Amino acid sequence: MASAAGHASKFQRFLNAETGPKTVHFWAPVFKWSLVIAGLNDIQRPVEKLSGTQQLALFATGAIWTRWAGFAIKPRNYLLASVNFFLGGVAGYQLTRIVRYRRAEGDNTSQVFHYIFNGEPATNTEPEKA
């Protein structure tokens, strides 16, 4: 009987915790996992169909909120930190795919950045050398 009471006690502590399922601190990260899953599904998507600005925003969100959720804000929310860590990782991978693709297309570094920020290849404005 004491064992059952101990498990109920742990469950009650989880249920009533500052980051437990009765709070937004629990449900927001749970639903944010859908962004990670969508990013994983996009790995099968052709790289030219990916949005560089979207991936950059997801990467920045993941990096910033991993640090804040796990170490800076109270209560510490490790569920939020973990989802943001994976969100940044998936977006970083997608950005790497975009950069590799653009470099294979012959873009220089500045053209790659232009493509990521504007979603279209940079036009070469320099006249060709004879």
Side-chain angles (χ1 to χ4, degrees), residues 39-117:
L40 290 171
N41 284 334
D42 282 348
I43 290 172
Q44 302 301 318
R45 183 179 236 191
V47 70
E48 60 271 5
K49 301 271 186 183
L50 296 174
S51 167
T53 52
Q54 177 183 354
Q55 299 307 320
L56 193 60
L58 291 171
F59 178 76
T61 298
I64 292 166
W65 281 102
T66 296
R67 194 250 185 259
W68 279 92
F71 305 104
I73 58 176
K74 302 288 184 204
R76 287 191 176 142
N77 192 336
Y78 296 114
L79 180 59
L80 183 59
S82 68
V83 71
N84 281 298
F85 176 80
F86 283 99
L87 181 65
V90 169
Y93 176 74
Q94 299 290 34
L95 283 170
T96 302
R97 286 182 62 209
I98 292 170
V99 169
R100 285 182 184 158
Y101 170 73
R102 294 310 310 168
R103 295 296 289 184
E105 291 290 311
D107 288 358
N108 62 32
T109 304
S110 122
Q111 291 170 319
V112 170
F113 279 112
H114 182 272
Y115 182 83
I116 288 173
F117 287 109

